Amino acid sequence: MQDGEPGDVRTIDEVRALAALAHPDRARLMDALAVDGPSTTGAMASSLGIATGSVSHHLRVLTDAGLVERAPQDPTDLRERRWKLVSRGMRWSAGQFRDRPAVASAAAAAEAVMLGREFERARAFLESPEPPWDDSAVSVHAWLRLSADELTELGRQLEELLLDWRRREIPDDGADRRRVLAFSRAFPSRP
């Protein structure tokens, strides 16, 4: 699926998908497929440092959950299956599961895995800054006073801004472009 096509970001509301995302290695596989595109089990095992058997198992779970599917076979090499994401991005909110405790629990576990990975990635970057990227990295901290509807709109605008950047045509101008993780969180809290 190409960025910007219908369905490139989908709302997740099935317990099976959320439970699958609650495993750190499965989250890493999803990220690898999002960043690198369709790949083989062996290539993902090698790049992520996960045993091939484990990658195969996790891909089956992700496939059963409707998050990953077989990519079209390369006619020149039918020996290895390639895997791809069903959609390039996902979204869910805790409120959508208020009346479904099992799904809410799976959503909280998936969110905890994602938050932990975001934290670890941010910490790893801060521990080994590299010019000019250390000057370009962004950290925004802002306290806002919003209604629930305004918070929803803020989230929609932030998501659309990030998706516009992801979907843009990347110029072939020789600039040093690297993979960049951009995430934001906005929620009620107290100082």
Side-chain angles (χ1 to χ4, degrees), residues 111-130:
E111 191 67 27
V113 166
M114 294 177 95
L115 181 59
R117 295 192 70 234
E118 291 162 356
F119 175 77
E120 289 304 320
R121 287 175 175 157
R123 183 189 346 219
F125 174 78
L126 292 172
E127 289 174 355
S128 57
E130 178 185 345

Side-chain angles (χ1 to χ4, degrees), residues 4 15 149:
V15 69
D149 288 342

Side-chain angles (χ1 to χ4, degrees), residues 87-188:
S87 62
R88 292 266 306 166
M90 299 167 290
R91 72 170 68 88
W92 67 84
S93 69
Q96 76 190 71
F97 310 120
R98 200 172 289 115
D99 59 339
R100 296 164 56 198
V103 183
S105 178
E111 191 67 27
V113 166
M114 294 177 95
L115 181 59
R117 295 192 70 234
E118 291 162 356
F119 175 77
E120 289 304 320
R121 287 175 175 157
R123 183 189 346 219
F125 174 78
L126 292 172
E127 289 174 355
S128 57
E130 178 185 345
W133 298 98
D134 54 349
D135 286 332
S136 300
V138 177
S139 176
V140 178
H141 179 97
W143 285 97
L144 308 171
R145 192 165 191 87
L146 304 174
S147 69
D149 288 342
E150 291 167 335
L151 180 56
T152 299
E153 178 59 18
L154 174 65
R156 189 200 62 74
Q157 288 179 17
L158 289 169
E159 179 181 41
E160 194 57 43
L161 176 65
L162 293 176
L163 291 174
D164 284 348
W165 275 94
R166 188 185 80 193
R167 293 171 177 157
R168 82 189 196 293
E169 197 63 38
I170 299 174
D172 186 14
D173 57 7
D176 178 19
R177 286 186 176 80
R178 298 188 183 175
R179 295 178 184 123
V180 171
L181 173 63
F183 63 91
S184 65
R185 296 196 178 265
F187 52 89

Side-chain angles (χ1 to χ4, degrees), residues 16 20 26 29 33 41 44 52-70 81 83:
R16 186 177 232 172
R26 289 184 206 130
L29 288 167
L33 289 170
T41 301
M44 287 187 279
T52 305
S54 291
V55 171
S56 293
H57 166 74
H58 291 311
L59 286 171
R60 275 192 305 277
V61 172
L62 292 168
T63 300
D64 291 345
L67 299 170
V68 171
E69 64 188 5
R70 286 186 188 172
R81 287 187 190 139
W83 301 93

